[in-house]
Amino acid sequence: MRYLLDTHIFLWWLVDQPKLSEATKRVIAASDNEIYVSAASTWEMIIKSAIGKLSLPPSPQGFIREQLRINRMLPLPITIEHSLALATLPMIHKDPFDRMLIAQTIFERMVLITDDPVINSYPVTVFSAE
């Protein structure tokens, strides 16, 4: 199965956040699942780190790359098709990063791991992280 991690789920995984359910941990850790992290999430983390809303190590780009490698997670680039898919989404969710994750999940036929209840308003397959 192919899963896309919401940005906060990726971060929760890295710090072993207690909010992350055991079922979610099993899905992420299962060797037969493909776990993806979107370029939208790395973009969001870099921006939030730069403005002081997220604490990352001094070299966030190196840290993120290393965590993807260590955790055997796959990068998901943002394509033109993903951007165009945004046009089909109603303006329920206002966060541009989450909207891109939703578009990518739908377009790529993945399952999005999140605990954001607003995302359930879209025609997307969600695995609830809590």
Side-chain angles (χ1 to χ4, degrees), residues 19-127:
K19 289 183 181 180
L20 203 58
S21 72
E22 290 304 315
T24 303
K25 291 177 185 178
R26 282 192 299 275
V27 166
I28 295 171
S31 61
D32 56 337
N33 288 332
E34 293 178 2
I35 307 298
Y36 289 84
V37 175
S38 172
S41 291
T42 60
W43 184 11
E44 180 180 16
M45 289 184 282
I46 295 296
I47 288 172
K48 287 186 176 180
S49 175
I51 63 175
K53 287 190 168 187
L54 178 63
S55 179
L56 292 176
S59 172
Q61 62 274 35
F63 171 75
I64 293 168
R65 280 188 191 108
E66 182 70 5
Q67 291 305 313
L68 291 174
R69 186 188 64 73
I70 289 169
N71 291 286
R72 296 185 202 115
M73 294 176 178
L74 304 164
L76 181 63
I78 297 172
T79 68
I80 295 294
E81 293 304 319
H82 295 152
S83 297
L84 294 173
L86 288 169
T88 67
L89 298 179
M91 283 300 292
I92 300 167
H93 209 307
K94 305 300 184 220
D95 183 293
F97 301 109
D98 286 333
R99 289 179 58 76
M100 179 54 73
L101 295 179
I102 293 163
Q104 288 182 301
T105 300
I106 294 168
F107 187 83
E108 298 292 338
R109 294 183 176 91
M110 295 177 148
V111 176
L112 181 61
I113 300 178
T114 187
D115 80 329
D116 184 341
V118 177
I119 291 176
N120 289 318
S121 301
Y122 289 93
V124 63
T125 306
V126 170
F127 185 94

